[in-house]
Amino acid sequence: ICEYRTSELDDIFPKLVGLTDDDIISELKKTLLEYMPSDDEFHDKLIKYNFKGNDHRIKYMLEEIEYYLIKDQKEFTINRGVELHLEHIIPQKITTKRSKIEFGDWETYLGPDAKQKHKELVYTIGNLTLLAQKLNIRASNNPFLNKKREYKKSNLQLNRDIVKGYSRFTFREVNKRAKKLAEIALHIWKIN
C-alpha cells in the first residue's frame, strides 16, 4: 500500500533473527516499527491507493474490515471466489455511449471533471465494496439509487453502512468513505 521497495524491507529478517528471548515481543515490535510506515503515511496512502489489478488484496482488506465492523466472534466466514464479487460503487465505465444508454448518465451525475476524477478514484478503497455475485449482477452499472436497492439485500455491514450513510454517491463520498475505512484499517493492522 505504501509502495516500499522490497530492497528496503530486506533488512528486517536478519534483525529479527538476532533477537534474544528476553522480552522478545517488545523487541519484535520495536524492530518492526522501525521499518513500517507511520500511521499517517499508511492512512494517507491507503485512501489514494489504486487497487486495479489487486483484487485479492482489496478483497482481503474489505473482508477484514467487515469482520471488524461486525465485531466478529469467528462464527462465520465470508464467501470467496465466484460467490463474492468486488463491487465498484461508481462503475468502472462511465463514458461509453452504451453505458449511458443502458444504465444512465453517471458522467453528468458525477459533475465537472468527472472523467479525470473517475480515473483517479474508481479503484480506490472508498469506491469498492464486497457484494454477492447475484446482487452485483443486478446492481451492475445502474444509478446509485438502483444499486442501493441491491446493497440493502446484502448481509454485509459494509453495504448496510453505504445504504444508511449515503443518499448520493459522488467523488466527495468516495473520499469520505475512504477516510473512514482507512481509520478502521489502522485499528486492524496496528502493531503496538
Side-chain angles (χ1 to χ4, degrees):
I1 301 300
C2 291
E3 301 174 331
Y4 285 17
R5 293 186 323 264
T6 55
S7 62
E8 294 175 45
L9 305 176
D10 288 342
D11 292 335
I12 296 174
F13 184 72
K15 288 193 178 192
L16 295 178
V17 171
L19 296 179
T20 63
D21 287 341
D22 303 333
D23 201 17
I24 194 167
I25 300 298
S26 294
E27 288 183 51
L28 176 68
K29 286 180 182 179
K30 182 181 172 190
T31 303
L32 288 175
L33 286 171
E34 286 178 40
Y35 292 93
M36 292 188 61
S38 69
D39 287 353
D40 288 340
E41 181 182 4
F42 176 72
H43 181 274
D44 294 346
K45 297 268 181 139
L46 180 57
I47 289 169
K48 297 173 185 170
Y49 188 79
N50 184 325
F51 284 96
K52 185 175 184 172
N54 288 308
D55 288 5
H56 294 298
R57 181 178 295 165
I58 186 60
K59 277 185 168 185
Y60 166 75
M61 292 185 82
L62 291 171
E63 286 170 16
E64 292 301 315
I65 290 170
E66 176 66 19
Y67 290 136
Y68 179 88
L69 290 172
I70 63 170
K71 297 171 181 48
D72 183 38
Q73 301 300 311
K74 307 300 180 204
E75 296 172 324
F76 74 92
T77 303
I78 297 171
N79 278 336
R80 298 216 165 132
V82 296
E83 295 92 8
L84 192 65
H85 285 197
L86 186 59
E87 158 70 353
H88 296 76
I89 303 166
I90 295 172
Q92 294 177 71
K93 294 182 180 178
I94 61 168
T95 58
T96 64
K97 186 183 266 188
R98 179 175 178 227
S99 177
K100 287 180 182 182
I101 291 168
E102 289 183 28
F103 301 109
D105 190 356
W106 272 94
E107 195 175 350
T108 300
Y109 172 78
L110 294 169
D113 302 324
K115 287 181 189 178
Q116 182 58 37
K117 289 178 186 174
H118 181 264
K119 284 179 191 174
E120 295 168 15
L121 298 174
V122 70
Y123 296 104
T124 61
I125 195 169
N127 190 49
L128 301 169
T129 191
L130 300 172
L131 198 58
Q133 178 184 19
K134 178 175 71 173
L135 298 176
N136 191 33
I137 290 169
R138 285 192 291 224
S140 189
N141 291 350
N142 282 308
F144 179 66
L145 294 177
N146 293 13
K147 284 179 171 251
K148 273 179 70 168
R149 287 188 208 117
E150 301 308 319
Y151 297 168
K152 247 183 221 184
K153 298 172 190 173
S154 173
N155 294 317
L156 298 179
Q157 189 62 45
L158 279 166
N159 298 323
R160 291 180 186 154
D161 288 351
I162 294 168
V163 170
K164 284 189 269 179
Y166 303 97
S167 56
R168 297 179 40 82
F169 205 83
T170 62
F171 300 121
R172 183 172 158 246
E173 287 76 21
V174 169
N175 287 320
K176 178 181 170 185
R177 185 168 177 266
K179 289 175 184 172
K180 179 183 174 190
L181 295 178
E183 288 295 322
I184 294 169
L186 281 173
H187 290 287
I188 295 170
W189 288 287
K190 196 164 195 72
I191 292 249
N192 50 359

